Coordinates of all heavy atoms in Angstrom, one line a residue:
P1 N 7.1 9.1 0.5 CA 6.1 8.1 0.9 C 5.3 8.4 2.2 O 5.7 9.2 3.0 CB 7.1 6.8 1.2 CG 8.4 7.4 1.2 CD 8.4 8.7 0.7
L2 N 4.2 7.8 2.3 CA 3.3 8.0 3.5 C 4.0 7.3 4.6 O 4.6 6.3 4.6 CB 2.0 7.4 3.2 CG 1.1 7.9 2.2 CD1 -0.2 7.1 2.0 CD2 0.8 9.4 2.4
D3 N 4.0 7.9 5.8 CA 4.5 7.4 7.1 C 3.2 7.0 7.9 O 2.8 7.9 8.6 CB 5.4 8.3 7.7 CG 6.1 7.7 8.9 OD1 6.1 6.5 9.1 OD2 6.5 8.6 9.7
V4 N 2.7 5.8 7.8 CA 1.6 5.4 8.5 C 2.1 4.5 9.7 O 2.6 3.5 9.6 CB 0.6 4.6 7.6 CG1 -0.6 4.2 8.4 CG2 0.2 5.4 6.4
V5 N 1.7 5.0 10.9 CA 2.1 4.3 12.1 C 0.9 4.3 13.0 O 0.2 5.2 13.3 CB 3.3 5.0 12.8 CG1 3.6 4.4 14.1 CG2 4.5 5.2 12.0
D6 N 0.6 3.0 13.5 CA -0.4 2.8 14.5 C 0.2 3.1 15.9 O 1.1 2.4 16.3 CB -0.9 1.4 14.5 CG -2.0 1.1 15.4 OD1 -2.1 1.8 16.5 OD2 -2.7 0.1 15.3
E7 N -0.1 4.2 16.5 CA 0.5 4.7 17.7 C 0.3 3.6 18.8 O 1.0 3.6 19.8 CB 0.0 6.0 18.1 CG 0.4 7.1 17.2 CD 1.9 7.3 17.2 OE1 2.6 7.1 18.2 OE2 2.4 7.7 16.1
G8 N -0.7 2.8 18.7 CA -0.9 1.8 19.7 C -0.2 0.5 19.6 O -0.1 -0.3 20.6
A9 N 0.5 0.4 18.5 CA 1.3 -0.9 18.2 C 2.6 -0.8 18.8 O 3.4 0.2 18.5 CB 1.3 -1.2 16.7
V10 N 3.0 -1.7 19.6 CA 4.4 -1.6 20.2 C 5.0 -3.0 20.0 O 4.5 -4.0 20.3 CB 4.3 -1.3 21.7 CG1 5.8 -1.3 22.2 CG2 3.6 0.0 22.0
A11 N 6.2 -3.0 19.3 CA 7.0 -4.2 19.1 C 7.7 -4.6 20.3 O 7.8 -3.8 21.3 CB 8.0 -4.0 18.0
P12 N 8.2 -5.9 20.4 CA 9.0 -6.3 21.6 C 10.1 -5.3 21.8 O 10.7 -4.8 20.9 CB 9.5 -7.6 21.2 CG 8.4 -8.1 20.1 CD 8.0 -6.9 19.5
G13 N 10.3 -5.0 23.1 CA 11.4 -4.1 23.4 C 10.9 -2.6 23.5 O 11.6 -1.7 23.8
G14 N 9.6 -2.5 23.3 CA 9.0 -1.1 23.4 C 9.1 -0.3 22.2 O 8.7 0.9 22.1
Q15 N 9.6 -0.8 21.1 CA 9.8 0.0 19.9 C 8.5 0.1 19.1 O 7.7 -0.9 19.1 CB 10.8 -0.6 18.9 CG 12.2 -0.6 19.6 CD 13.2 -1.4 18.6 OE1 12.8 -2.1 17.7 NE2 14.4 -1.1 19.0
R16 N 8.2 1.2 18.5 CA 7.0 1.3 17.7 C 7.1 0.5 16.5 O 8.1 0.4 15.9 CB 6.7 2.8 17.3 CG 6.5 3.7 18.5 CD 5.1 3.9 18.8 NE 4.9 4.7 20.0 CZ 4.0 4.5 20.8 NH1 3.2 3.6 20.7 NH2 3.8 5.3 21.8
L17 N 5.9 -0.1 16.1 CA 5.9 -0.9 14.9 C 5.2 -0.2 13.8 O 4.0 0.2 13.9 CB 5.1 -2.2 15.3 CG 4.9 -3.2 14.1 CD1 6.3 -3.7 13.6 CD2 4.1 -4.4 14.7
N18 N 5.8 0.0 12.7 CA 5.2 0.6 11.5 C 4.4 -0.5 10.8 O 4.9 -1.4 10.2 CB 6.3 1.2 10.6 CG 5.7 1.9 9.4 OD1 4.7 1.5 8.8 ND2 6.2 3.1 9.1
L19 N 3.1 -0.4 10.8 CA 2.3 -1.4 10.3 C 2.4 -1.7 8.9 O 2.2 -2.7 8.3 CB 0.9 -1.3 10.7 CG 0.6 -1.3 12.2 CD1 -0.9 -1.1 12.5 CD2 1.0 -2.6 12.8
T20 N 2.6 -0.6 8.1 CA 2.7 -0.7 6.7 C 3.9 -1.5 6.4 O 3.9 -2.3 5.4 CB 2.8 0.6 5.9 OG1 3.8 1.4 6.4 CG2 1.5 1.4 6.1
F21 N 5.1 -1.2 7.1 CA 6.2 -2.1 6.9 C 6.0 -3.5 7.2 O 6.4 -4.5 6.5 CB 7.4 -1.5 7.8 CG 8.7 -2.3 7.6 CD1 9.4 -2.2 6.4 CD2 9.0 -3.2 8.6 CE1 10.7 -2.9 6.3 CE2 10.2 -3.8 8.5 CZ 11.0 -3.8 7.3
A22 N 5.3 -3.8 8.4 CA 5.1 -5.2 8.8 C 4.3 -5.9 7.7 O 4.6 -7.1 7.4 CB 4.4 -5.2 10.1
E23 N 3.3 -5.2 7.2 CA 2.4 -6.0 6.2 C 3.2 -6.1 4.9 O 3.0 -7.1 4.2 CB 1.2 -5.2 5.9 CG 0.2 -5.3 7.2 CD -1.1 -4.7 7.0 OE1 -1.4 -4.3 5.9 OE2 -1.8 -4.5 7.9
A24 N 4.0 -5.1 4.5 CA 4.8 -5.3 3.2 C 5.8 -6.4 3.4 O 6.0 -7.1 2.4 CB 5.5 -3.9 2.9
V25 N 6.4 -6.5 4.5 CA 7.5 -7.6 4.7 C 6.8 -8.9 4.7 O 7.3 -9.8 4.2 CB 8.2 -7.3 6.0 CG1 9.1 -8.5 6.4 CG2 9.1 -6.1 5.9
S26 N 5.5 -9.0 5.3 CA 4.9 -10.4 5.4 C 4.3 -10.7 4.0 O 3.9 -11.8 3.8 CB 3.8 -10.4 6.4 OG 2.8 -9.5 6.1
R27 N 4.2 -9.7 3.1 CA 3.6 -10.0 1.7 C 2.3 -10.7 1.8 O 2.1 -11.7 1.2 CB 4.7 -10.8 1.0 CG 5.9 -10.1 0.6 CD 5.7 -9.0 -0.3 NE 7.0 -8.7 -0.9 CZ 7.1 -7.6 -1.7 NH1 6.1 -6.9 -1.9 NH2 8.3 -7.4 -2.3
I28 N 1.4 -10.1 2.5 CA 0.0 -10.7 2.6 C -0.6 -10.8 1.2 O -0.8 -9.7 0.6 CB -0.9 -9.9 3.6 CG1 -0.3 -10.0 5.0 CG2 -2.3 -10.4 3.5 CD1 -1.0 -9.1 5.9
E29 N -0.8 -11.9 0.7 CA -1.2 -12.2 -0.7 C -2.7 -12.8 -0.8 O -3.2 -12.9 -1.8 CB -0.3 -12.9 -1.6 CG 1.1 -12.2 -1.6 CD 2.0 -12.9 -2.5 OE1 1.7 -13.6 -3.5 OE2 3.2 -12.8 -2.4
D30 N -3.1 -13.4 0.3 CA -4.4 -14.0 0.3 C -5.5 -13.0 0.7 O -5.3 -12.0 1.2 CB -4.4 -15.2 1.3 CG -3.4 -16.2 1.0 OD1 -3.1 -16.4 -0.1 OD2 -2.9 -16.9 2.0
G31 N -6.7 -13.4 0.2 CA -7.9 -12.5 0.5 C -8.0 -11.4 -0.6 O -7.3 -11.3 -1.6
V32 N -9.0 -10.6 -0.3 CA -9.4 -9.5 -1.2 C -8.4 -8.3 -1.1 O -8.2 -7.7 -2.1 CB -10.8 -9.0 -0.9 CG1 -11.2 -7.8 -1.8 CG2 -11.8 -10.2 -1.1
Y33 N -7.9 -8.1 0.1 CA -7.1 -6.8 0.2 C -5.6 -7.2 0.5 O -5.4 -8.2 1.3 CB -7.7 -6.0 1.5 CG -9.0 -5.7 1.3 CD1 -10.1 -6.3 2.0 CD2 -9.4 -4.6 0.4 CE1 -11.4 -6.1 1.8 CE2 -10.8 -4.3 0.2 CZ -11.7 -5.0 1.0 OH -13.0 -4.8 0.7
R34 N -4.7 -6.6 -0.3 CA -3.4 -7.1 -0.3 C -2.3 -6.0 -0.3 O -2.6 -4.9 -0.7 CB -3.2 -7.9 -1.7 CG -4.1 -9.0 -1.9 CD -3.9 -9.6 -3.2 NE -4.8 -10.7 -3.4 CZ -5.6 -10.8 -4.4 NH1 -5.6 -9.9 -5.4 NH2 -6.4 -11.9 -4.5
G35 N -1.2 -6.3 0.1 CA -0.1 -5.4 0.2 C -0.1 -4.5 1.5 O -0.9 -4.6 2.4
A36 N 0.9 -3.6 1.6 CA 1.1 -2.8 2.7 C -0.2 -1.9 3.0 O -0.5 -1.6 4.1 CB 2.3 -1.9 2.5
Y37 N -0.8 -1.5 2.0 CA -2.0 -0.6 2.1 C -3.3 -1.2 1.9 O -4.3 -0.6 1.9 CB -1.9 0.7 1.3 CG -0.6 1.4 1.6 CD1 0.6 1.3 0.8 CD2 -0.6 2.4 2.6 CE1 1.8 2.0 1.1 CE2 0.6 3.0 2.9 CZ 1.8 2.9 2.2 OH 2.9 3.5 2.5
Q38 N -3.3 -2.5 1.9 CA -4.4 -3.4 1.7 C -5.4 -3.0 0.6 O -6.6 -2.7 0.7 CB -5.2 -3.4 3.1 CG -4.5 -4.0 4.2 CD -4.2 -5.5 3.9 OE1 -5.1 -6.3 4.1 NE2 -3.1 -5.9 3.4
F39 N -4.8 -2.8 -0.6 CA -5.6 -2.5 -1.8 C -6.4 -3.7 -2.2 O -5.9 -4.8 -2.2 CB -4.7 -2.2 -3.0 CG -4.2 -0.7 -3.0 CD1 -3.0 -0.3 -2.4 CD2 -5.0 0.2 -3.8 CE1 -2.7 1.0 -2.5 CE2 -4.6 1.5 -3.9 CZ -3.4 1.9 -3.3
D40 N -7.6 -3.5 -2.8 CA -8.3 -4.6 -3.5 C -7.7 -4.4 -5.0 O -7.2 -3.3 -5.4 CB -9.8 -4.6 -3.4 CG -10.4 -3.4 -4.1 OD1 -9.9 -2.7 -4.9 OD2 -11.7 -3.2 -3.8
Q41 N -7.8 -5.4 -5.8 CA -7.3 -5.4 -7.1 C -7.9 -4.4 -8.0 O -7.2 -3.7 -8.8 CB -7.4 -6.8 -7.8 CG -6.6 -7.0 -9.1 CD -5.0 -6.9 -8.7 OE1 -4.6 -7.7 -7.9 NE2 -4.3 -6.1 -9.4
T42 N -9.2 -4.1 -7.9 CA -9.9 -3.2 -8.7 C -9.4 -1.8 -8.5 O -9.1 -1.0 -9.4 CB -11.4 -3.3 -8.5 OG1 -11.9 -4.6 -8.9 CG2 -12.2 -2.2 -9.4
T43 N -9.2 -1.4 -7.3 CA -8.8 0.0 -6.9 C -7.3 0.1 -7.3 O -6.9 1.2 -7.8 CB -8.9 0.2 -5.4 OG1 -10.3 0.0 -5.0 CG2 -8.4 1.6 -5.0
W44 N -6.6 -1.0 -7.0 CA -5.1 -0.9 -7.4 C -5.0 -0.6 -9.0 O -4.2 0.2 -9.4 CB -4.4 -2.2 -7.1 CG -3.1 -2.4 -7.5 CD1 -2.6 -2.9 -8.7 CD2 -1.9 -1.9 -6.8 NE1 -1.3 -2.9 -8.8 CE2 -0.7 -2.3 -7.6 CE3 -1.6 -1.3 -5.6 CZ2 0.5 -2.0 -7.3 CZ3 -0.3 -1.0 -5.3 CH2 0.7 -1.4 -6.1
N45 N -5.7 -1.4 -9.8 CA -5.7 -1.2 -11.1 C -6.2 0.1 -11.6 O -5.5 0.7 -12.5 CB -6.5 -2.3 -11.9 CG -6.0 -3.6 -11.7 OD1 -4.8 -3.9 -11.4 ND2 -6.8 -4.7 -12.0
S46 N -7.3 0.7 -10.9 CA -7.7 2.0 -11.5 C -6.7 3.1 -11.1 O -6.6 4.0 -11.9 CB -9.2 2.3 -10.9 OG -9.1 2.3 -9.5
V47 N -6.1 3.0 -9.9 CA -5.2 4.0 -9.6 C -4.0 4.0 -10.4 O -3.4 5.0 -10.9 CB -4.8 3.9 -8.1 CG1 -3.7 4.9 -7.7 CG2 -6.0 4.2 -7.2
A48 N -3.5 2.8 -10.7 CA -2.2 2.6 -11.5 C -2.6 3.2 -12.9 O -1.8 4.0 -13.5 CB -1.9 1.1 -11.6
D49 N -3.8 2.9 -13.4 CA -4.1 3.5 -14.7 C -4.2 4.9 -14.8 O -3.8 5.7 -15.6 CB -5.4 2.8 -15.2 CG -5.7 3.2 -16.6 OD1 -4.9 2.9 -17.5 OD2 -6.9 3.6 -16.8
A50 N -4.9 5.5 -13.6 CA -5.0 7.0 -13.6 C -3.7 7.8 -13.4 O -3.7 8.9 -14.0 CB -5.9 7.3 -12.3
I51 N -2.7 7.1 -12.9 CA -1.4 7.9 -12.9 C -0.4 7.4 -13.9 O 0.8 7.8 -13.9 CB -0.8 7.7 -11.5 CG1 -0.4 6.3 -11.2 CG2 -1.7 8.3 -10.4 CD1 0.5 6.2 -9.9
G52 N -0.9 6.7 -15.0 CA -0.1 6.3 -16.0 C 0.9 5.2 -15.8 O 1.9 5.1 -16.4
R53 N 0.6 4.3 -14.8 CA 1.5 3.2 -14.5 C 0.8 1.9 -14.9 O 0.5 1.0 -14.2 CB 1.7 3.2 -13.0 CG 2.6 4.3 -12.5 CD 4.0 4.2 -13.0 NE 4.7 2.9 -12.8 CZ 5.4 2.6 -11.7 NH1 5.5 3.4 -10.7 NH2 5.9 1.4 -11.7
S54 N 0.6 1.8 -16.2 CA 0.0 0.6 -16.8 C 0.8 -0.6 -16.5 O 0.3 -1.8 -16.6 CB -0.3 0.9 -18.3 OG 1.0 1.0 -19.0
D55 N 2.0 -0.4 -16.3 CA 2.9 -1.6 -15.9 C 2.4 -2.3 -14.6 O 2.8 -3.5 -14.4 CB 4.4 -1.2 -15.8 CG 4.6 -0.1 -14.7 OD1 3.9 0.9 -14.8 OD2 5.5 -0.3 -13.9
L56 N 1.7 -1.6 -13.8 CA 1.3 -2.1 -12.6 C -0.1 -2.7 -12.6 O -0.6 -3.3 -11.6 CB 1.3 -1.1 -11.4 CG 2.8 -0.6 -11.0 CD1 2.7 0.5 -10.0 CD2 3.6 -1.8 -10.6
V57 N -0.9 -2.4 -13.6 CA -2.3 -2.9 -13.8 C -2.1 -4.4 -13.9 O -1.4 -4.9 -14.7 CB -2.9 -2.3 -15.1 CG1 -4.3 -2.9 -15.3 CG2 -3.1 -0.8 -14.9
G58 N -2.9 -5.1 -13.0 CA -2.9 -6.5 -13.0 C -1.9 -7.1 -12.0 O -1.9 -8.3 -11.7
T59 N -1.0 -6.3 -11.5 CA 0.0 -6.8 -10.5 C -0.6 -7.0 -9.2 O -1.4 -6.1 -8.8 CB 1.2 -5.8 -10.4 OG1 1.8 -5.6 -11.7 CG2 2.1 -6.2 -9.4
N60 N -0.4 -8.1 -8.5 CA -0.8 -8.3 -7.2 C -0.2 -7.2 -6.3 O 1.0 -7.0 -6.3 CB -0.4 -9.6 -6.7 CG -0.9 -10.0 -5.3 OD1 -1.1 -9.0 -4.4 ND2 -0.9 -11.2 -4.9
P61 N -1.0 -6.3 -5.6 CA -0.4 -5.3 -4.8 C 0.7 -5.7 -3.8 O 1.7 -5.1 -3.7 CB -1.6 -4.6 -4.0 CG -2.8 -5.0 -5.0 CD -2.5 -6.3 -5.6
A62 N 0.5 -6.9 -3.2 CA 1.5 -7.5 -2.4 C 2.8 -7.9 -3.1 O 3.8 -7.9 -2.4 CB 1.0 -8.7 -1.6
A63 N 2.7 -8.1 -4.3 CA 3.9 -8.4 -5.1 C 4.7 -7.2 -5.6 O 5.9 -7.3 -6.1 CB 3.6 -9.3 -6.3
A64 N 4.0 -6.1 -5.6 CA 4.7 -4.8 -6.0 C 5.8 -4.4 -5.0 O 5.6 -4.7 -3.9 CB 3.6 -3.7 -6.2
S65 N 6.7 -3.6 -5.5 CA 7.8 -3.1 -4.7 C 7.1 -2.2 -3.6 O 6.1 -1.5 -3.8 CB 8.8 -2.4 -5.5 OG 8.4 -1.1 -5.9
P66 N 7.9 -2.0 -2.4 CA 7.3 -1.1 -1.5 C 7.2 0.3 -2.0 O 6.3 1.1 -1.7 CB 8.4 -1.1 -0.4 CG 8.9 -2.6 -0.4 CD 9.0 -2.9 -1.9
A67 N 8.2 0.7 -2.9 CA 8.1 2.1 -3.5 C 6.9 2.2 -4.4 O 6.2 3.3 -4.3 CB 9.4 2.3 -4.3
D68 N 6.5 1.2 -5.1 CA 5.3 1.2 -6.0 C 4.0 1.3 -5.1 O 3.1 2.0 -5.5 CB 5.3 0.0 -7.0 CG 6.2 0.3 -8.1 OD1 6.7 1.4 -8.4 OD2 6.6 -0.8 -8.8
Q69 N 4.1 0.5 -4.0 CA 2.9 0.5 -3.2 C 2.8 2.0 -2.5 O 1.7 2.5 -2.4 CB 3.1 -0.5 -2.0 CG 3.0 -1.9 -2.5 CD 3.1 -2.9 -1.5 OE1 2.4 -2.9 -0.5 NE2 4.0 -3.9 -1.6
D70 N 3.9 2.6 -2.1 CA 3.8 3.9 -1.6 C 3.3 4.9 -2.6 O 2.4 5.7 -2.4 CB 5.2 4.4 -1.1 CG 5.7 3.8 0.1 OD1 4.9 3.1 0.8 OD2 7.0 3.9 0.4
T71 N 3.8 4.7 -3.9 CA 3.3 5.7 -4.9 C 1.8 5.6 -5.1 O 1.1 6.6 -5.2 CB 4.1 5.3 -6.3 OG1 5.5 5.5 -6.0 CG2 3.6 6.1 -7.4
L72 N 1.3 4.3 -5.3 CA -0.1 4.2 -5.5 C -1.0 4.6 -4.3 O -2.0 5.2 -4.5 CB -0.5 2.8 -5.9 CG -0.5 2.6 -7.5 CD1 0.8 2.8 -8.1 CD2 -1.1 1.3 -7.9
A73 N -0.5 4.4 -3.2 CA -1.2 4.8 -1.9 C -1.3 6.4 -1.9 O -2.3 7.0 -1.6 CB -0.6 4.3 -0.7
T74 N -0.2 7.0 -2.2 CA -0.1 8.4 -2.2 C -1.1 9.0 -3.3 O -1.8 9.9 -3.1 CB 1.4 9.0 -2.4 OG1 2.0 8.5 -1.4 CG2 1.3 10.4 -2.5
A75 N -1.0 8.3 -4.4 CA -1.9 8.7 -5.6 C -3.3 8.6 -5.3 O -4.1 9.5 -5.6 CB -1.6 7.9 -6.8
L76 N -3.7 7.5 -4.6 CA -5.1 7.3 -4.3 C -5.6 8.4 -3.3 O -6.7 9.0 -3.4 CB -5.2 5.9 -3.5 CG -6.6 5.6 -3.0 CD1 -7.7 5.7 -4.1 CD2 -6.7 4.3 -2.3
Y77 N -4.7 8.7 -2.3 CA -5.0 9.8 -1.4 C -5.1 11.1 -2.1 O -6.2 11.9 -1.8 CB -3.9 9.9 -0.3 CG -4.0 11.0 0.7 CD1 -4.9 10.8 1.8 CD2 -3.3 12.2 0.6 CE1 -5.1 11.8 2.7 CE2 -3.5 13.1 1.6 CZ -4.4 13.0 2.6 OH -4.6 13.9 3.6
E78 N -4.3 11.4 -3.0 CA -4.3 12.7 -3.7 C -5.7 12.7 -4.7 O -6.3 13.7 -4.8 CB -3.1 12.9 -4.5 CG -1.9 13.3 -3.6 CD -0.6 13.3 -4.3 OE1 -0.5 13.0 -5.5 OE2 0.4 13.8 -3.7
L79 N -6.0 11.6 -5.2 CA -7.1 11.5 -6.2 C -8.4 11.7 -5.4 O -9.3 12.3 -5.7 CB -7.2 10.2 -6.9 CG -6.1 10.0 -7.9 CD1 -6.1 8.5 -8.4 CD2 -6.5 10.9 -9.1
A80 N -8.4 11.1 -4.1 CA -9.5 11.2 -3.3 C -9.8 12.7 -2.8 O -10.9 13.1 -2.6 CB -9.4 10.4 -2.1
L81 N -8.7 13.5 -2.7 CA -8.8 14.9 -2.3 C -9.0 15.8 -3.5 O -9.3 17.0 -3.3 CB -7.5 15.3 -1.6 CG -7.2 14.7 -0.3 CD1 -5.8 15.2 0.2 CD2 -8.3 15.0 0.7
G82 N -8.9 15.2 -4.7 CA -9.2 15.9 -5.9 C -7.9 16.7 -6.3 O -8.1 17.8 -7.0
E83 N -6.7 16.4 -5.9 CA -5.6 17.1 -6.2 C -5.1 16.8 -7.6 O -5.2 15.7 -8.0 CB -4.5 16.9 -5.1 CG -4.9 17.5 -3.7 CD -3.7 17.3 -2.8 OE1 -2.7 16.8 -3.0 OE2 -4.1 17.7 -1.6

């Protein structure tokens, strides 16, 4: 999985806050961009389809498991690089 950390974000007590974890836990479901990696539905659906995960097409990204969110974020990154 991707390890995305905002180096400027500090949680109470001085601990670093992993923003993807925070957003996944809060399950942000309102608005255009949803889930830990802030996918819009069209991008989520196209990436899911491109990697053969038709079971995720139409799923709200915020409602998907953290593992599925990581999988699609990694796939999007790799697709963007042409890998």
Side-chain angles (χ1 to χ4, degrees):
L2 296 176
D3 184 20
V4 180
V5 177
D6 180 342
E7 292 298 324
V10 179
Q15 296 175 344
R16 296 268 177 216
L17 176 63
N18 184 320
L19 294 180
T20 57
F21 177 76
E23 290 184 10
V25 168
S26 65
R27 297 287 201 192
I28 297 172
E29 295 187 34
D30 296 331
V32 174
Y33 304 102
R34 303 176 181 127
Y37 298 97
Q38 297 294 281
F39 274 92
D40 69 15
Q41 193 67 54
T42 300
T43 302
W44 175 267
N45 291 343
S46 65
V47 173
D49 188 54
I51 65 169
R53 290 295 308 269
S54 60
D55 58 308
L56 294 174
V57 173
T59 299
N60 179 339
S65 73
D68 285 338
Q69 292 184 52
D70 288 347
T71 297
L72 266 65
T74 300
L76 177 60
Y77 180 76
E78 291 171 351
L79 288 167
L81 292 177
E83 294 182 4

